[in-house]
Amino acid sequence: DRDATDRQLCGCIQAVADRELSGSDTRRIAGFFDDPEEAHAVKISDSWRNESFWDRYRAYVSAARQTCG
């Protein structure tokens, strides 16, 4: 059943997010869905905070891909 598969995948991705990201990181990433240009601005920023955040984000994406498949 596709709905069950979608729920399972979403649950897996959320579990990885809970493990890899802080609450503020999660909220920031969620905001990228409303404003994709913000994601790009953060990615190309020279700010050490943005670079640190982007490193955490990339690690999360990598872990989610490995874990959830």
Side-chain angles (χ1 to χ4, degrees):
D1 182 41
R2 182 177 175 160
D3 288 338
T5 301
D6 290 346
R7 282 192 304 272
Q8 184 179 15
L9 178 59
C10 288
C12 181
I13 292 169
Q14 183 63 56
V16 174
D18 292 344
R19 185 179 73 230
E20 298 287 326
L21 300 169
S22 69
S24 62
D25 284 346
T26 302
R27 287 186 296 278
R28 191 172 188 189
I29 293 166
F32 293 163
F33 291 97
D34 291 331
D35 187 4
E37 290 182 19
E38 176 65 16
H40 180 71
V42 170
K43 183 179 180 180
I44 65 171
S45 171
D46 288 334
S47 158
W48 67 267
R49 284 185 184 181
N50 285 342
E51 288 179 9
S52 178
F53 166 78
W54 203 257
D55 288 344
R56 292 190 304 275
Y57 176 68
R58 283 195 333 235
Y60 155 69
V61 169
S62 178
R65 284 182 176 152
Q66 288 179 332
T67 304
C68 304

